[in-house]
Amino acid sequence: MKAIVISEPGKPEVLQLRDVADPEVKDDEVLIRVVATALNRADTLQRLGLYNPPPGSSPYLGLECSGTIESVGKNVSRWKVGDQVCALLSGGGYAEKVSVPAGQIFPIPAGISLKDAAAFPEVACTVWSTVFMMGRLSPGESFLVHGGSSGIGTFAIQIAKHLGVRVFVTAGNEEKLAACKELGADVCINYKTEDFVAKVKAETDGKGVDVILDCIGAPYLQKNLDSLNFDGRLCIIGLMGGANAEIKLSSLLPKRLTVLGAALRPRSAENKAVVVAEVEKNVWPAIEAGKVKPVIHKYLPLSQAAEAHSLMESSSHIGKILLET
């Protein structure tokens, strides 16, 4: 098969399409003929040599895909050859074929194309497991998502609004804020020209929001804590701005704040299967009802993975970037 190989850690041009061996399929896995995969920030970090795949995972990039099942392991009962599916991966999506544990596979949601379904597994599992399973975001609460125009952000806005949550977002320009508004965000904040802490406080009568989803890390840590309501939960899923920060512990105690850190990729296959089952139960009906739609910025052929990475690193995109095999 063909796959994108990292020739050496570095800039996007180190990504090369090469002939490689087909993946092996274990007894509890299926082999998917990939139709599309989607980019995630973790892919750019792995390309730079900063985020190695978990032990035993594919060495190739790609944390989600959609396609058709070509073969199934002997312990697999739910899926059969010819099924059209999408899947959460530990790696391997930037290839013509990928093997994946059966517990990490979804049916294609009704009304969604096979290609576009590649946009859902990673964002849906990340947001649902972090914001809803760990962060316990509930109807009637308020929620701030940083980077509202990202793949994570565009999904988080839609599912939170569907579930009766008041949604705040930050983004860096008016085009991105308009896109967030279109998806249902209630309060849109330009972090380059506005103080998001002050804006959140002004919009909540000084109370703050109940849950924050943050991908920035260090420079936002204290600001996020200052933006939370009593019993607020801060969910950190990325460190784009840095990993080391100091905070005033005195800001945690009076408001009974919780700080949660989460990464999806290193979780065990058993843990991922639990998340996938919860997402299929709680999120897939919203997608099939048209309440959550794929937001696709651009489709590119797999051979143009380097261009796709450059686009992601420019942060000019809104929604997901998909690679087609």
Side-chain angles (χ1 to χ4, degrees):
M1 70 172 185
K2 292 187 182 299
I4 293 293
V5 173
I6 303 171
S7 59
E8 60 180 343
K11 295 180 179 180
E13 52 265 29
V14 303
L15 300 177
Q16 299 180 2
L17 188 64
R18 294 182 182 175
D19 289 311
V20 300
D22 285 1
E24 296 181 2
V25 184
K26 298 175 183 175
D27 291 345
D28 60 348
E29 294 181 338
V30 306
L31 182 68
I32 297 175
R33 166 73 68 167
V34 177
V35 167
T37 187
L39 269 68
N40 290 279
R41 289 282 176 183
D43 299 336
T44 64
L45 293 175
Q46 184 174 335
R47 191 201 75 229
L48 291 166
L50 302 176
Y51 191 16
N52 293 327
S57 301
S58 169
Y60 309 120
L61 299 170
L63 300 181
E64 55 195 333
C65 75
S66 60
T68 303
I69 293 179
E70 279 204 347
S71 66
V72 299
K74 66 180 183 181
N75 294 338
V76 177
S77 57
R78 179 180 179 184
W79 308 105
K80 64 182 186 301
V81 173
D83 284 346
Q84 293 190 333
V85 297
C86 55
L88 176 69
L89 311 174
S90 296
Y94 288 30
E96 292 179 326
K97 300 178 183 180
V98 64
S99 58
V100 55
Q104 293 170 214
I105 295 173
F106 297 96
I108 301 300
I112 302 297
S113 71
L114 179 59
K115 179 171 65 175
D116 285 356
F120 280 124
E122 175 74 13
V123 294
C125 289
T126 296
V127 173
W128 191 262
S129 64
T130 307
V131 176
F132 294 93
M133 294 173 71
M134 295 174 64
R136 308 180 316 282
L137 181 62
S138 303
E141 289 193 314
S142 54
F143 171 51
L144 167 61
V145 55
H146 291 298
S149 61
S150 67
I152 289 282
T154 53
F155 174 84
I157 292 167
Q158 294 181 84
I159 191 64
K161 284 301 295 180
H162 171 62
L163 295 173
V165 170
R166 188 182 185 207
V167 177
F168 295 63
V169 300
T170 63
N173 62 50
E174 294 309 309
E175 180 188 7
K176 291 181 177 181
L177 292 170
C180 294
K181 193 75 172 177
E182 179 95 7
L183 291 170
D186 298 288
V187 179
C188 300
I189 306 165
N190 187 330
Y191 68 82
K192 293 181 178 179
T193 61
E194 298 178 273
D195 178 347
F196 75 79
V197 181
K199 184 75 169 180
V200 165
K201 290 291 185 70
E203 292 284 345
T204 58
D205 295 325
K207 295 177 181 177
V209 294
D210 297 300
V211 175
I212 298 175
L213 181 62
D214 177 58
C215 60
I216 303 300
Y220 274 16
L221 181 54
Q222 187 62 54
K223 293 180 180 180
N224 282 330
L225 297 177
D226 294 340
S227 301
L228 284 170
N229 193 3
F230 285 91
D231 296 310
R233 290 85 76 194
L234 169 60
C235 305
I236 302 173
I237 59 168
L239 304 170
M240 291 175 61
N244 299 314
E246 288 189 5
I247 62 169
K248 293 177 288 187
L249 290 174
S250 58
S251 62
L252 289 174
L253 278 59
K255 294 197 291 184
R256 303 180 299 275
L257 303 183
T258 302
V259 179
L260 305 165
L264 186 60
R265 191 182 195 187
R267 296 185 184 213
S268 67
E270 293 78 13
N271 188 285
K272 289 177 183 176
V274 171
V275 172
V276 166
E278 286 294 308
V279 169
E280 185 176 349
K281 175 184 174 182
N282 293 287
V283 176
W284 252 227
I287 297 172
E288 294 183 336
K291 303 299 183 182
V292 178
K293 299 177 181 179
V295 180
I296 313 296
H297 181 81
K298 192 170 187 178
Y299 304 94
L300 289 165
L302 184 62
S303 59
Q304 292 182 23
E307 180 181 336
H309 273 230
S310 294
L311 175 59
M312 170 160 274
E313 290 178 324
S314 76
S315 292
S316 61
H317 61 292
I318 295 173
K320 299 285 282 187
I321 302 166
L322 264 55
L323 294 172
E324 302 177 73
T325 58

mmCIF file of all heavy atoms in Angstrom, residues 93-130:
data_model
loop_
_atom_site.group_PDB
_atom_site.id
_atom_site.type_symbol
_atom_site.label_atom_id
_atom_site.label_comp_id
_atom_site.label_asym_id
_atom_site.label_seq_id
_atom_site.Cartn_x
_atom_site.Cartn_y
_atom_site.Cartn_z
ATOM 1 N N GLY A 93 -3.758 6.647 9.730
ATOM 2 C CA GLY A 93 -4.801 7.106 8.817
ATOM 3 C C GLY A 93 -4.278 7.650 7.498
ATOM 4 O O GLY A 93 -4.979 7.631 6.490
ATOM 5 N N TYR A 94 -3.030 8.139 7.482
ATOM 6 C CA TYR A 94 -2.447 8.683 6.248
ATOM 7 C C TYR A 94 -1.928 7.530 5.382
ATOM 8 O O TYR A 94 -0.752 7.486 5.011
ATOM 9 C CB TYR A 94 -1.278 9.606 6.560
ATOM 10 C CG TYR A 94 -1.561 10.953 7.164
ATOM 11 C CD1 TYR A 94 -2.659 11.189 7.989
ATOM 12 C CD2 TYR A 94 -0.685 12.012 6.950
ATOM 13 C CE1 TYR A 94 -2.881 12.423 8.570
ATOM 14 C CE2 TYR A 94 -0.890 13.260 7.526
ATOM 15 C CZ TYR A 94 -1.989 13.454 8.335
ATOM 16 O OH TYR A 94 -2.200 14.684 8.910
ATOM 17 N N ALA A 95 -2.787 6.620 5.040
ATOM 18 C CA ALA A 95 -2.385 5.438 4.282
ATOM 19 C C ALA A 95 -3.603 4.876 3.552
ATOM 20 O O ALA A 95 -4.738 5.262 3.821
ATOM 21 C CB ALA A 95 -1.795 4.376 5.221
ATOM 22 N N GLU A 96 -3.349 3.971 2.619
ATOM 23 C CA GLU A 96 -4.449 3.368 1.869
ATOM 24 C C GLU A 96 -5.204 2.329 2.690
ATOM 25 O O GLU A 96 -6.375 2.059 2.428
ATOM 26 C CB GLU A 96 -3.914 2.741 0.587
ATOM 27 C CG GLU A 96 -3.407 3.763 -0.418
ATOM 28 C CD GLU A 96 -2.850 3.140 -1.672
ATOM 29 O OE1 GLU A 96 -2.257 2.038 -1.591
ATOM 30 O OE2 GLU A 96 -3.003 3.745 -2.747
ATOM 31 N N LYS A 97 -4.521 1.752 3.702
ATOM 32 C CA LYS A 97 -5.155 0.757 4.560
ATOM 33 C C LYS A 97 -4.700 0.976 5.997
ATOM 34 O O LYS A 97 -3.579 1.438 6.238
ATOM 35 C CB LYS A 97 -4.789 -0.671 4.134
ATOM 36 C CG LYS A 97 -5.190 -1.051 2.717
ATOM 37 C CD LYS A 97 -4.726 -2.459 2.391
ATOM 38 C CE LYS A 97 -5.039 -2.836 0.959
ATOM 39 N NZ LYS A 97 -4.590 -4.218 0.636
ATOM 40 N N VAL A 98 -5.568 0.638 6.944
ATOM 41 C CA VAL A 98 -5.186 0.736 8.342
ATOM 42 C C VAL A 98 -5.916 -0.345 9.129
ATOM 43 O O VAL A 98 -7.072 -0.672 8.843
ATOM 44 C CB VAL A 98 -5.515 2.137 8.915
ATOM 45 C CG1 VAL A 98 -7.013 2.410 8.918
ATOM 46 C CG2 VAL A 98 -4.933 2.325 10.310
ATOM 47 N N SER A 99 -5.243 -0.942 10.094
ATOM 48 C CA SER A 99 -5.885 -1.902 10.989
ATOM 49 C C SER A 99 -6.256 -1.177 12.276
ATOM 50 O O SER A 99 -5.512 -0.322 12.760
ATOM 51 C CB SER A 99 -4.970 -3.088 11.280
ATOM 52 O OG SER A 99 -3.749 -2.652 11.853
ATOM 53 N N VAL A 100 -7.420 -1.541 12.832
ATOM 54 C CA VAL A 100 -7.928 -0.825 13.999
ATOM 55 C C VAL A 100 -8.736 -1.778 14.870
ATOM 56 O O VAL A 100 -9.458 -2.637 14.349
ATOM 57 C CB VAL A 100 -8.782 0.393 13.566
ATOM 58 C CG1 VAL A 100 -9.891 -0.018 12.627
ATOM 59 C CG2 VAL A 100 -9.331 1.149 14.757
ATOM 60 N N PRO A 101 -8.615 -1.680 16.198
ATOM 61 C CA PRO A 101 -9.442 -2.515 17.076
ATOM 62 C C PRO A 101 -10.929 -2.307 16.788
ATOM 63 O O PRO A 101 -11.387 -1.183 16.563
ATOM 64 C CB PRO A 101 -9.072 -2.024 18.476
ATOM 65 C CG PRO A 101 -7.680 -1.488 18.335
ATOM 66 C CD PRO A 101 -7.646 -0.868 16.977
ATOM 67 N N ALA A 102 -11.678 -3.391 16.818
ATOM 68 C CA ALA A 102 -13.099 -3.331 16.470
ATOM 69 C C ALA A 102 -13.880 -2.387 17.376
ATOM 70 O O ALA A 102 -14.888 -1.807 16.957
ATOM 71 C CB ALA A 102 -13.702 -4.735 16.526
ATOM 72 N N GLY A 103 -13.418 -2.211 18.609
ATOM 73 C CA GLY A 103 -14.117 -1.334 19.544
ATOM 74 C C GLY A 103 -13.958 0.143 19.260
ATOM 75 O O GLY A 103 -14.582 0.968 19.926
ATOM 76 N N GLN A 104 -13.140 0.500 18.267
ATOM 77 C CA GLN A 104 -12.902 1.904 17.936
ATOM 78 C C GLN A 104 -13.552 2.302 16.614
ATOM 79 O O GLN A 104 -13.201 3.322 16.022
ATOM 80 C CB GLN A 104 -11.391 2.178 17.901
ATOM 81 C CG GLN A 104 -10.746 2.063 19.272
ATOM 82 C CD GLN A 104 -9.225 2.092 19.244
ATOM 83 O OE1 GLN A 104 -8.576 1.437 20.061
ATOM 84 N NE2 GLN A 104 -8.642 2.840 18.334
ATOM 85 N N ILE A 105 -14.531 1.511 16.202
ATOM 86 C CA ILE A 105 -15.166 1.730 14.900
ATOM 87 C C ILE A 105 -16.603 2.197 15.084
ATOM 88 O O ILE A 105 -17.317 1.739 15.980
ATOM 89 C CB ILE A 105 -15.127 0.436 14.069
ATOM 90 C CG1 ILE A 105 -13.676 0.074 13.752
ATOM 91 C CG2 ILE A 105 -15.925 0.571 12.785
ATOM 92 C CD1 ILE A 105 -13.519 -1.257 13.077
ATOM 93 N N PHE A 106 -17.007 3.125 14.214
ATOM 94 C CA PHE A 106 -18.374 3.633 14.178
ATOM 95 C C PHE A 106 -19.032 3.290 12.841
ATOM 96 O O PHE A 106 -18.351 3.268 11.808
ATOM 97 C CB PHE A 106 -18.384 5.167 14.257
ATOM 98 C CG PHE A 106 -17.849 5.774 15.512
ATOM 99 C CD1 PHE A 106 -16.532 6.214 15.584
ATOM 100 C CD2 PHE A 106 -18.670 5.957 16.614
ATOM 101 C CE1 PHE A 106 -16.045 6.815 16.727
ATOM 102 C CE2 PHE A 106 -18.192 6.558 17.768
ATOM 103 C CZ PHE A 106 -16.879 6.991 17.826
ATOM 104 N N PRO A 107 -20.340 3.117 12.832
ATOM 105 C CA PRO A 107 -21.049 3.121 11.556
ATOM 106 C C PRO A 107 -21.063 4.540 10.995
ATOM 107 O O PRO A 107 -20.918 5.511 11.747
ATOM 108 C CB PRO A 107 -22.457 2.667 11.935
ATOM 109 C CG PRO A 107 -22.621 3.127 13.357
ATOM 110 C CD PRO A 107 -21.259 2.994 13.986
ATOM 111 N N ILE A 108 -21.227 4.673 9.693
ATOM 112 C CA ILE A 108 -21.347 6.006 9.109
ATOM 113 C C ILE A 108 -22.709 6.582 9.511
ATOM 114 O O ILE A 108 -23.738 5.935 9.301
ATOM 115 C CB ILE A 108 -21.238 5.944 7.566
ATOM 116 C CG1 ILE A 108 -19.899 5.328 7.154
ATOM 117 C CG2 ILE A 108 -21.379 7.358 6.969
ATOM 118 C CD1 ILE A 108 -18.676 6.069 7.629
ATOM 119 N N PRO A 109 -22.738 7.779 10.096
ATOM 120 C CA PRO A 109 -24.034 8.351 10.484
ATOM 121 C C PRO A 109 -24.928 8.574 9.260
ATOM 122 O O PRO A 109 -24.446 8.987 8.197
ATOM 123 C CB PRO A 109 -23.659 9.695 11.121
ATOM 124 C CG PRO A 109 -22.210 9.601 11.446
ATOM 125 C CD PRO A 109 -21.614 8.683 10.433
ATOM 126 N N ALA A 110 -26.202 8.276 9.404
ATOM 127 C CA ALA A 110 -27.156 8.498 8.318
ATOM 128 C C ALA A 110 -27.113 9.957 7.892
ATOM 129 O O ALA A 110 -27.081 10.867 8.732
ATOM 130 C CB ALA A 110 -28.563 8.119 8.769
ATOM 131 N N GLY A 111 -27.081 10.186 6.597
ATOM 132 C CA GLY A 111 -27.072 11.542 6.072
ATOM 133 C C GLY A 111 -25.695 12.150 5.884
ATOM 134 O O GLY A 111 -25.573 13.266 5.388
ATOM 135 N N ILE A 112 -24.647 11.417 6.284
ATOM 136 C CA ILE A 112 -23.267 11.897 6.144
ATOM 137 C C ILE A 112 -22.553 11.044 5.099
ATOM 138 O O ILE A 112 -22.666 9.814 5.109
ATOM 139 C CB ILE A 112 -22.511 11.820 7.487
ATOM 140 C CG1 ILE A 112 -23.238 12.634 8.563
ATOM 141 C CG2 ILE A 112 -21.077 12.296 7.328
ATOM 142 C CD1 ILE A 112 -23.333 14.112 8.290
ATOM 143 N N SER A 113 -21.804 11.677 4.197
ATOM 144 C CA SER A 113 -21.077 10.926 3.175
ATOM 145 C C SER A 113 -19.939 10.143 3.811
ATOM 146 O O SER A 113 -19.442 10.493 4.885
ATOM 147 C CB SER A 113 -20.524 11.872 2.109
ATOM 148 O OG SER A 113 -19.461 12.654 2.623
ATOM 149 N N LEU A 114 -19.531 9.082 3.133
ATOM 150 C CA LEU A 114 -18.427 8.264 3.631
ATOM 151 C C LEU A 114 -17.175 9.118 3.815
ATOM 152 O O LEU A 114 -16.467 9.002 4.827
ATOM 153 C CB LEU A 114 -18.156 7.106 2.660
ATOM 154 C CG LEU A 114 -17.005 6.162 3.014
ATOM 155 C CD1 LEU A 114 -17.225 5.511 4.370
ATOM 156 C CD2 LEU A 114 -16.835 5.095 1.930
ATOM 157 N N LYS A 115 -16.908 10.003 2.881
ATOM 158 C CA LYS A 115 -15.724 10.858 2.956
ATOM 159 C C LYS A 115 -15.802 11.807 4.154
ATOM 160 O O LYS A 115 -14.867 11.893 4.953
ATOM 161 C CB LYS A 115 -15.592 11.648 1.653
ATOM 162 C CG LYS A 115 -14.409 12.588 1.603
ATOM 163 C CD LYS A 115 -14.221 13.176 0.199
ATOM 164 C CE LYS A 115 -15.382 14.066 -0.215
ATOM 165 N NZ LYS A 115 -15.119 14.711 -1.531
ATOM 166 N N ASP A 116 -16.918 12.497 4.296
ATOM 167 C CA ASP A 116 -17.045 13.498 5.368
ATOM 168 C C ASP A 116 -17.056 12.881 6.757
ATOM 169 O O ASP A 116 -16.733 13.553 7.746
ATOM 170 C CB ASP A 116 -18.305 14.340 5.165
ATOM 171 C CG ASP A 116 -18.156 15.357 4.048
ATOM 172 O OD1 ASP A 116 -17.046 15.454 3.478
ATOM 173 O OD2 ASP A 116 -19.141 16.051 3.744
ATOM 174 N N ALA A 117 -17.422 11.604 6.852
ATOM 175 C CA ALA A 117 -17.451 10.949 8.162
ATOM 176 C C ALA A 117 -16.075 10.896 8.812
ATOM 177 O O ALA A 117 -15.970 10.767 10.040
ATOM 178 C CB ALA A 117 -18.021 9.537 8.026
ATOM 179 N N ALA A 118 -15.011 11.040 8.014
ATOM 180 C CA ALA A 118 -13.658 11.050 8.572
ATOM 181 C C ALA A 118 -13.424 12.242 9.481
ATOM 182 O O ALA A 118 -12.475 12.253 10.264
ATOM 183 C CB ALA A 118 -12.632 11.050 7.440
ATOM 184 N N ALA A 119 -14.294 13.249 9.402
ATOM 185 C CA ALA A 119 -14.120 14.460 10.208
ATOM 186 C C ALA A 119 -14.590 14.292 11.648
ATOM 187 O O ALA A 119 -14.340 15.173 12.475
ATOM 188 C CB ALA A 119 -14.890 15.617 9.563
ATOM 189 N N PHE A 120 -15.264 13.199 11.972
ATOM 190 C CA PHE A 120 -15.918 13.094 13.272
ATOM 191 C C PHE A 120 -15.196 12.327 14.378
ATOM 192 O O PHE A 120 -15.247 12.744 15.545
ATOM 193 C CB PHE A 120 -17.313 12.492 13.107
ATOM 194 C CG PHE A 120 -18.355 13.472 12.635
ATOM 195 C CD1 PHE A 120 -19.091 13.219 11.498
ATOM 196 C CD2 PHE A 120 -18.586 14.641 13.333
ATOM 197 C CE1 PHE A 120 -20.057 14.128 11.057
ATOM 198 C CE2 PHE A 120 -19.538 15.556 12.902
ATOM 199 C CZ PHE A 120 -20.276 15.291 11.763
ATOM 200 N N PRO A 121 -14.562 11.163 14.126
ATOM 201 C CA PRO A 121 -14.160 10.317 15.259
ATOM 202 C C PRO A 121 -13.268 10.984 16.303
ATOM 203 O O PRO A 121 -13.550 10.896 17.506
ATOM 204 C CB PRO A 121 -13.435 9.153 14.569
ATOM 205 C CG PRO A 121 -14.092 9.058 13.230
ATOM 206 C CD PRO A 121 -14.343 10.475 12.839
ATOM 207 N N GLU A 122 -12.203 11.651 15.895
ATOM 208 C CA GLU A 122 -11.270 12.226 16.864
ATOM 209 C C GLU A 122 -11.899 13.385 17.636
ATOM 210 O O GLU A 122 -11.795 13.453 18.865
ATOM 211 C CB GLU A 122 -9.989 12.686 16.157
ATOM 212 C CG GLU A 122 -8.997 13.403 17.047
ATOM 213 C CD GLU A 122 -8.246 12.510 18.010
ATOM 214 O OE1 GLU A 122 -8.296 11.270 17.852
ATOM 215 O OE2 GLU A 122 -7.600 13.044 18.926
ATOM 216 N N VAL A 123 -12.566 14.302 16.928
ATOM 217 C CA VAL A 123 -13.150 15.450 17.631
ATOM 218 C C VAL A 123 -14.301 15.019 18.531
ATOM 219 O O VAL A 123 -14.440 15.500 19.660
ATOM 220 C CB VAL A 123 -13.604 16.565 16.662
ATOM 221 C CG1 VAL A 123 -12.411 17.186 15.965
ATOM 222 C CG2 VAL A 123 -14.622 16.069 15.658
ATOM 223 N N ALA A 124 -15.129 14.111 18.036
ATOM 224 C CA ALA A 124 -16.272 13.668 18.834
ATOM 225 C C ALA A 124 -15.813 12.951 20.099
ATOM 226 O O ALA A 124 -16.337 13.191 21.192
ATOM 227 C CB ALA A 124 -17.185 12.768 18.007
ATOM 228 N N CYS A 125 -14.823 12.077 19.958
ATOM 229 C CA CYS A 125 -14.336 11.337 21.122
ATOM 230 C C CYS A 125 -13.582 12.247 22.090
ATOM 231 O O CYS A 125 -13.703 12.100 23.311
ATOM 232 C CB CYS A 125 -13.444 10.181 20.671
ATOM 233 S SG CYS A 125 -14.339 8.835 19.866
ATOM 234 N N THR A 126 -12.828 13.205 21.553
ATOM 235 C CA THR A 126 -12.105 14.133 22.418
ATOM 236 C C THR A 126 -13.069 15.004 23.216
ATOM 237 O O THR A 126 -12.966 15.128 24.441
ATOM 238 C CB THR A 126 -11.167 15.028 21.585
ATOM 239 O OG1 THR A 126 -10.165 14.218 20.975
ATOM 240 C CG2 THR A 126 -10.497 16.079 22.455
ATOM 241 N N VAL A 127 -14.016 15.622 22.521
ATOM 242 C CA VAL A 127 -14.940 16.538 23.196
ATOM 243 C C VAL A 127 -15.856 15.781 24.150
ATOM 244 O O VAL A 127 -16.064 16.206 25.296
ATOM 245 C CB VAL A 127 -15.759 17.335 22.164
ATOM 246 C CG1 VAL A 127 -16.848 18.154 22.857
ATOM 247 C CG2 VAL A 127 -14.842 18.257 21.358
ATOM 248 N N TRP A 128 -16.417 14.679 23.706
ATOM 249 C CA TRP A 128 -17.372 13.969 24.571
ATOM 250 C C TRP A 128 -16.681 13.421 25.822
ATOM 251 O O TRP A 128 -17.191 13.574 26.947
ATOM 252 C CB TRP A 128 -18.091 12.849 23.821
ATOM 253 C CG TRP A 128 -19.232 12.329 24.639
ATOM 254 C CD1 TRP A 128 -19.252 11.233 25.438
ATOM 255 C CD2 TRP A 128 -20.507 12.954 24.794
ATOM 256 N NE1 TRP A 128 -20.455 11.123 26.086
ATOM 257 C CE2 TRP A 128 -21.249 12.162 25.707
ATOM 258 C CE3 TRP A 128 -21.098 14.097 24.250
ATOM 259 C CZ2 TRP A 128 -22.555 12.492 26.077
ATOM 260 C CZ3 TRP A 128 -22.391 14.420 24.625
ATOM 261 C CH2 TRP A 128 -23.104 13.618 25.529
ATOM 262 N N SER A 129 -15.505 12.793 25.641
ATOM 263 C CA SER A 129 -14.832 12.187 26.800
ATOM 264 C C SER A 129 -14.330 13.241 27.770
ATOM 265 O O SER A 129 -14.361 13.032 28.989
ATOM 266 C CB SER A 129 -13.665 11.303 26.333
ATOM 267 O OG SER A 129 -12.662 12.069 25.692
ATOM 268 N N THR A 130 -13.899 14.390 27.255
ATOM 269 C CA THR A 130 -13.312 15.416 28.111
ATOM 270 C C THR A 130 -14.364 16.339 28.718
ATOM 271 O O THR A 130 -14.445 16.506 29.939
ATOM 272 C CB THR A 130 -12.300 16.258 27.308
ATOM 273 O OG1 THR A 130 -11.355 15.391 26.681
ATOM 274 C CG2 THR A 130 -11.564 17.215 28.228
#
